Amino acid sequence: MVMGRTVLERFPAGGPRGSWPAEEFAHARRQEGMPAEVVMDLATDTFLVILRGAEGVD
């Protein structure tokens, strides 16, 4: 069974040194009770903050 995902936000991989905006965004969503996680989209060189198995597949 393939589970869907919902992309909450996209962040470019080339952020400033020491900055982790995707991780910070995901952490804030987890504080709100969402099971957010960060994955790398190699095709577009971006970090995605996603919810796995959520309605509305991206």
Side-chain angles (χ1 to χ4, degrees), residues 3 12-13 15 20 22 30 34 38 41 43 45 47 52 55 57-58:
M3 296 177 70
W20 297 90
R30 288 191 296 269
M34 296 181 187
V38 177
D41 181 359
D45 198 30
F47 290 108
R52 287 194 194 272
E55 297 293 323
V57 176
D58 182 35

Side-chain angles (χ1 to χ4, degrees), residues 10-34:
R10 300 170 191 271
F11 295 89
R17 181 178 286 264
S19 174
W20 297 90
E23 290 292 346
E24 292 166 1
F25 183 85
H27 176 74
R29 299 301 73 80
R30 288 191 296 269
Q31 295 291 85
E32 296 171 351
M34 296 181 187

Side-chain angles (χ1 to χ4, degrees), residues 2-8 34-40 48-57:
V2 176
M3 296 177 70
R5 68 176 183 181
T6 298
V7 177
L8 299 177
M34 296 181 187
E37 61 183 283
V38 177
V39 296
M40 179 70 183
L48 308 176
V49 178
I50 66 166
L51 298 176
R52 287 194 194 272
E55 297 293 323
V57 176

